[in-house]
C-alpha cells in the first residue's frame, strides 16, 4: 500500500474490434491448415482484422473513448495516457500521443509501454502507482494491437493465432478503500527473448529488402516451448497472488486470463480450482490480441454484466520478453 492509503479503482472499461472477421475457414484457403486443427489446439474460431487505413492508435482511441464514457471522465481532465502495444503506429513518436490528439486530452502526459502480451498488466501497474502516490487522479490505460500487419501469412504456425483489437480502462482514486486494485505482480525473463520475437525492423536489424524478403519483420514463435513456459509461469504467478493476499478457494469470483490458447487458460483455471463458468473466455472470437487481450475480455465481462460490484477478479497475462504478470482487483 502506498503512503497515501489510496486504492485505485477501475472506473470504466472500453474496447474496440475492427469490423472485418477472419474465420478458420478463411485461413484454410490461405495456408495448409484446418478449422479442426486450429480449434482443437488453440480454441480459436475467428479473429478480427484492422482495415488498411486503421493504425493501432485508431483502435486504441475507440477503446479509450468507451472507457472514458463509462467512467464519466472528460478527456480534457486526464492526467496520463499509457498505451501498451508491440505494434505501435510508428517506432516514434508514441501511439499514446496520437490517442491524446484524437480524444483531446491535452493536459495529459502520454507514453507507450512494451511488454508484449503482458503489456496491459504492466500499464495497469504503472497507472495504479501514479494514482496511489497521489501524483495523478485520472489515468487512461490501453492495450491495443494491429498484429495482423506483422504476421507471415505463409507461416501456418503463427498466422492462425493472432488478431487485432483494443481494450482500455480508466483509473481513478477510490473513495471507500475497499474497491479497486489490491495487488499487482510483474515478471520478466529476457534470457528466453528469442522464443517469441520479430528479428528485424528496428535497431538490431533495420528494415532492408533482404529482411523483408525473408519476412524477418514478422512474428517468429517457438510455440511449443512458449506453451510450456507459459503454463509454469502462470501457475507460479497465480500462486503469488494467492499468497500475497491470503486467498482461500472461494475468494476469486472471476479469472480474466490472457487469451492466447484455451488449453493454457484451462490449465490456469484447474490450478485455481475454478470452474470454467468463472473464467472469461474470448479467445474463440478474438484470437490472441496480445496487449489488448486482457482489457478486451474484461470489457466484454463488465458490459455483459458478468463481473459485478463486489466481485474479486484475477487478471493474468503471459507473452514475449518473456514477460508475465497478474493483478487482483475488487470490483
Ligand atoms: N495447422 C495445421 N498444422 C499445424 C499448424 C496449423 N496452423 N501449425 C502447426 N501445425 C503442425 C506442426 O507443423 C506440427 O506438425 P509435425 O508434428 O508434423 O511437426 C504439429 O502441428 C504440432 O505442432 P506443435 O507446435 O507441437 O503444436 P502445439 O500443440 O504446441 O500447438 C501452438 C501450437 C498453438 C502454437 C501452441 O504451442 C501455443 O499456443 N503456444 C503458446 C502461444 C502463446 O501463449 N504465446 C504467448 C503469447 S503471444 C505474444 O506475446 C505476442
Amino acid at each position: 500500500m502506498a503512503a497515501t492509503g489510496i486504492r485505485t479503482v477501475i472506473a470504466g472499461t472500453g474496447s474496440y474490434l475492427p469490423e472485418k472477421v477472419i474465420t478458420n475457414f478463411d485461413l484454410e484457403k490461405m495456408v495448409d491448415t484446418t478449422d479442426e486443427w486450429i480449434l482443437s489446439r488453440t480454441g480459436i474460431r475467428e479473429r478480427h482484422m484492422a482495415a488498411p487505413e486503421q493504425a493501432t492508435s485508431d483502435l486504441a482511441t475507440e477503446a479509450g473513448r468507451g472507457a472514458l464514457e463509462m467512467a464519466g471522465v472528460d478527456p480534457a481532465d486526464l492526467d496520463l495516457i499509457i498505451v501498451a502495444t508491440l505494434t505501435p503506429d510508428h517506432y516514434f513518436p508514441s501511439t499514446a500521443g496520437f490517442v491524446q490528439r484524437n480524444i483531446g486530452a491535452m493536459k495529459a502526459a502520454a507514453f507507450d509501454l512494451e511488454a508484449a502480451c503482458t503489456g496491459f498488466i504492466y500499464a495497469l501497474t504503472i497507472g495504479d502507482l501514479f494514482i496511489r502516490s497521489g501524483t495523478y487522479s485520472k489515468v487512461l490505460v490501453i492495450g491495443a494491437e494491429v498484429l495482423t500487419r506483422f504476421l507471415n501469412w505463409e507461416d501456418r504456425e503463427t498466422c492462425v493465432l493472432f488478431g487485432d483489437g483494443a481494450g482500455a480502462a480508466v483509473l481513478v482514486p477510490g473513495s471507500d478503500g475497499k474497491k479497486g486494485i489490491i495487488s499487482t505482480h510483474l515478471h520478466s525473463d529476457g534470457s528466453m527473448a528469442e522464443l517469441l520475437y520479430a528479428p528485424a525492423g528496428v535497431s538490431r536489424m533495420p528494415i532492408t529488402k533482404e529482411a523483408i524478403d525473408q519476412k524477418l519483420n514478422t512474428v517468429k514463435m517457438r510455440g511449443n516451448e512458449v506453451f510450456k513456459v507459459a503454463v509454469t509461469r502462470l501457475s507460479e504467478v497465480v500462486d503469488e497472488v494467492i499468497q500475497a493476499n491470503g486467498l482461500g478457494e472461494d475468494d476469486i469470483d472471476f479469472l480474466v486470463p490472457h487469451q492466447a490458447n484455451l488449453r493454457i487458460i484451462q490449465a490456469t483455471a484447474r490450478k485455481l480450482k475454478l470452474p470454467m463458468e468463472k473464467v472469461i473466455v474470448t479467445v474463440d472470437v478474438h484470437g490472441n490480441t496480445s496487449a489488448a487481450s486482457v482489457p478486451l475480455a474484461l470489457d466484454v465481462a463488465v458490459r455483459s454484466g458478468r463481473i459485478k460490484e463486489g466481485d474479486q477478479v484475477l487478471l493474468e497475462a503471459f507473452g514475449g520478453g518473456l514477460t508475465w504478470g497478474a493483478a487482483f482487483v475488487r470490483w
Side-chain angles (χ1 to χ4, degrees), residues 37 57 64 82 90 161 174 238 248 311:
W37 190 95
S57 66
I82 310 174
H90 302 274
L161 302 175
V238 299
D311 283 341

Side-chain angles (χ1 to χ4, degrees), residues 31-34 37-38 41-42 86 116-118 147 156-158 160-162 196 219 221-227 230 258 260-261 263-264 288 290 318-320:
V31 283
D32 180 16
T33 192
T34 59
W37 190 95
I38 301 170
R41 297 292 178 119
T42 70
L86 62 85
C117 297
T118 319
L147 266 160
R156 67 177 184 174
E157 296 189 16
T158 51
V160 304
L161 302 175
F162 298 98
L196 173 53
V219 174
M221 177 164 72
R222 305 219 302 258
N224 210 298
E225 288 162 71
V226 173
F227 187 99
H258 173 46
N261 185 311
R263 291 183 293 147
I264 299 177
N288 181 350
S290 189
F318 179 90

Side-chain angles (χ1 to χ4, degrees), residues 133-164:
S133 68
T135 309
Y136 292 140
S137 63
K138 290 182 178 66
V139 175
L140 176 61
V141 289
I142 305 176
E145 306 283 6
V146 181
L147 266 160
T148 59
R149 226 158 269 163
F150 298 87
L151 298 177
N152 174 359
W153 288 98
E154 289 164 10
D155 175 15
R156 67 177 184 174
E157 296 189 16
T158 51
C159 77
V160 304
L161 302 175
F162 298 98
D164 301 335

